[in-house]
Amino acid sequence: MPKIVFITGATAGFGEACAYKFAEHGYDLIINGRRTGRLQTLADTLEKKYNVAVLTLPFDVRDEKAVMSSISTIPDDWKAIDILINNAGLAMGRDHFNEASLDDWNVMIDTNIKGFLYVGKAVSQLMVERHASTGSAGHIINMGSIAGKQVYEKGNVYCATKFAVDAISQSMRIDLLRHGIKVTAINPGAAETEFSLVRFKGDETTAKKIYDGLKPLTAADVADIIYYCATLPPHVCINDLSVTCLQQADTIYFSRTN
Ligand code: NDP
Ligand code: 8X3
């Protein structure tokens, strides 16, 4: 039986790269995102290229009812989820605390904390039930950030949401220990995806500047690391992994070529 991996935020960036990586290795996939066209195209491509089964599960992670009903009504043969990559998330704006937009803060809190919690809870329940009936283990891989380890100027609420992911990952690891569920937090530094374009609301020039003089991480780099964490022996769990490109020491210190 192929293993099943459930990836939120699979329409771009890390999530999409993970979908390719796991499909390449024969996993069946449940993929989520809001852009249904992209989701269906990805499903069609992966099914054709890698001969795997793909279930699309479009919902907005901020919509509690949609998350809970979509996941509880997954067809029975898809409920045996081995790995959750709880990745959907975003930054909105990069402004000093007093100047930042409340709307931006609400979107980040609703997506990166509340949506992340809804998905984590719904899938962990399925994993717990499966562990009780078959003894099989699950693995939850949470997408944190180095912004969840160290704050930076104008990072305020985005950093806070990733500090929350860090804290929740630690709590999940403790609470799910008795159910044999591994919990891994991945904390990347700057990676060139659609992240900055979303953060700067479509302003391509500002988004590009983030990577000026850098060879940043790619989505494929992060997917490789996630795949490595997910395929270690059953008794081994990477709890927390931070990764940056060579030119980045932490959230503040960079060695740019320009
Ligand atoms: P992208 O913008 O490239 O991808 C983000 C993904 O999240 C998209 O698939 C998007 O899909 C999905 N998403 C966003 N909001 C929602 C929502 N409300 N409901 C469902 N899906 C949603 O960014 P990344 O791949 O870079 O980011 C992925 C994660 O990695 C985020 O949690 C981010 O905070 C984190 N991260 C990113 C870093 C970076 O430098 N790129 C570094 C460290 C962490 P859609 O729009 O179709 O819904
Ligand atoms: C994304 C990395 O440094 O832009 O989480 O906040 S950073």
Side-chain angles (χ1 to χ4, degrees):
M1 277 278 285
K3 288 193 167 189
I4 298 175
V5 57
F6 181 178
I7 306 168
T8 65
T11 54
F14 298 158
E16 184 182 39
C18 285
Y20 272 92
K21 184 78 187 175
F22 281 83
E24 185 192 335
H25 289 276
Y27 284 70
D28 288 337
L29 296 102
I30 304 174
I31 52 173
N32 155 267
R34 292 165 298 178
R35 287 169 287 183
T36 50
R38 280 197 188 199
L39 212 52
Q40 194 53 55
T41 305
L42 179 63
D44 295 343
T45 306
L46 296 176
E47 284 182 332
K48 209 164 144 196
K49 190 163 181 197
Y50 298 111
N51 196 27
V52 294
V54 184
L55 177 71
T56 58
L57 213 58
F59 56 73
D60 185 327
V61 297
R62 293 171 296 177
D63 183 341
E64 179 189 336
K65 282 203 178 74
V67 175
M68 294 305 174
S69 72
S70 301
I71 294 176
S72 66
T73 55
I74 287 175
D76 280 343
D77 49 344
W78 281 97
K79 281 195 170 136
I81 296 166
D82 295 286
I83 301 162
L84 165 66
I85 304 176
N86 203 353
N87 161 75
L90 78 183
M92 272 287 166
R94 190 167 169 153
D95 304 288
H96 283 121
F97 186 84
N98 57 307
E99 290 165 352
S101 139
L102 286 178
D103 286 343
D104 287 349
W105 285 1
N106 281 325
V107 171
M108 290 188 281
I109 290 167
D110 289 349
T111 309
N112 300 356
I113 304 180
K114 294 173 77 176
F116 165 83
L117 282 170
Y118 301 149
V119 173
K121 178 159 170 56
V123 176
S124 66
Q125 278 168 347
L126 293 179
M127 287 180 173
V128 166
E129 283 162 25
R130 185 161 168 243
H131 183 254
S133 61
T134 68
S136 69
H139 192 170
I140 297 177
I141 300 179
N142 290 330
M143 189 52 68
S145 167
I146 59 162
K149 299 289 185 183
Q150 179 193 31
V151 297
Y152 54 86
E153 187 180 11
K154 303 180 184 176
N156 44 69
V157 170
Y158 177 68
C159 294
T161 65
K162 292 299 179 179
F163 269 74
V165 169
D166 189 27
I168 295 161
S169 298
Q170 293 180 45
S171 296
M172 287 170 84
R173 194 171 306 116
I174 295 165
D175 291 348
L176 298 173
L177 188 60
R178 68 207 168 111
H179 301 291
I181 297 172
K182 294 185 188 183
V183 179
T184 299
I186 305 286
N187 311 298
E192 195 160 11
T193 61
E194 293 178 13
F195 177 84
S196 290
L197 200 58
V198 171
R199 178 174 222 171
F200 298 112
K201 302 168 187 175
D203 176 346
E204 288 186 19
T205 311
T206 309
K208 275 237 162 284
K209 269 200 194 123
I210 297 292
Y211 312 108
D212 257 5
L214 278 187
K215 181 173 167 47
L217 296 173
T218 64
D221 294 329
V222 174
D224 286 352
I225 289 164
I226 290 175
Y227 184 75
Y228 171 76
C229 292
T231 50
L232 287 165
H235 68 290
V236 180
C237 179
I238 292 186
N239 293 333
D240 191 79
L241 189 153
S242 294
V243 54
T244 61
C245 69
L246 182 58
Q247 292 167 273
Q248 180 173 18
D250 61 12
T251 58
I252 298 161
Y253 288 97
F254 291 84
S255 170
R256 297 184 191 262
T257 53
N258 56 354

